[in-house]
Amino acid sequence: FFFVVISAMAGNQPSEPPPRASLAGATQARRVHGRFAPEPPSNLVTAIDDWDLRDRVDLAGRAKRALVVNFGAAWCHVCRGTLPRFERMAHSNPKMDFVVADVEECSDTAKNIRFTPTFAIFRGGKMVDRRFGGGDADLQAVEDRLWLHQDWPKFIE
């Protein structure tokens, strides 16, 4: 009681907790293995639900940008292991958009995804390429396919 009266007299209001940082919108430096890591690129976001993922596919299609979606799951250790390399892919391909989607949060959109992680590439709002697996060879195959889809409006026009 005494503390409440003193803080009310001093005009101190309890502060709100700081906002939680998402995978792709963090404004503070992140620590990885005791070192400061670079900020996630602006073309990498996390889809929070089916509506959000569908909107991102639609927006990328209308903007004529290729979209790479990493379908994974929070409980999947292999999926979590692919995130650093997926982030590096986003850094090295600024002309493409990258989305991390949890198959449980985006269950309607991911209903045809049978393996995690699955990497899907969308162009014009349609899935045009899909690779699955989290091994080095699987991720290298995804990276090798990115060059084909990177400048896709040039091939259409």
Side-chain angles (χ1 to χ4, degrees):
F1 175 73
F2 184 70
F3 175 74
V4 174
V5 172
I6 291 175
S7 64
M9 289 173 42
N12 294 337
Q13 296 294 326
S15 63
E16 294 183 19
R20 291 179 45 194
S22 68
L23 174 67
T27 57
Q28 299 175 355
R30 300 177 303 148
R31 291 186 78 95
V32 177
H33 301 294
R35 297 186 177 146
F36 286 105
E39 292 298 317
S42 60
N43 62 336
L44 173 64
V45 296
T46 302
I48 56 174
D49 58 13
D50 280 318
W51 291 102
D52 187 29
L53 182 57
R54 286 185 194 129
D55 285 344
R56 293 188 186 283
V57 170
D58 185 48
L59 287 172
R62 284 190 273 143
K64 295 192 184 216
R65 288 177 61 98
L67 176 75
V68 183
V69 181
N70 179 357
F71 288 101
W75 46 263
C76 175
H77 297 291
V78 175
C79 300
R80 283 184 273 157
T82 63
L83 290 177
R85 190 149 174 196
F86 191 68
E87 189 173 324
R88 286 193 301 272
M89 286 183 214
H91 269 293
S92 61
N93 294 288
K95 294 181 181 179
M96 302 175 80
D97 293 327
F98 291 78
V99 177
V100 177
D102 191 318
V103 294
E104 293 177 355
E105 299 294 326
C106 303
S107 58
D108 220 24
T109 310
K111 64 185 173 193
N112 293 325
I113 301 298
R114 298 290 175 234
F115 305 102
T116 58
T118 294
F119 300 90
I121 301 175
F122 291 84
R123 292 189 323 189
K126 305 285 183 203
M127 185 187 306
V128 294
D129 204 350
R130 180 169 55 182
R131 299 278 183 249
F132 57 88
D136 285 337
D138 301 321
L139 293 172
Q140 186 60 48
V142 172
E143 286 182 19
D144 291 344
R145 298 299 290 178
L146 293 182
W147 70 268
L148 177 67
H149 301 290
Q150 183 169 302
D151 295 325
W152 71 275
K154 290 181 184 176
F155 299 115
I156 295 174
E157 297 173 354

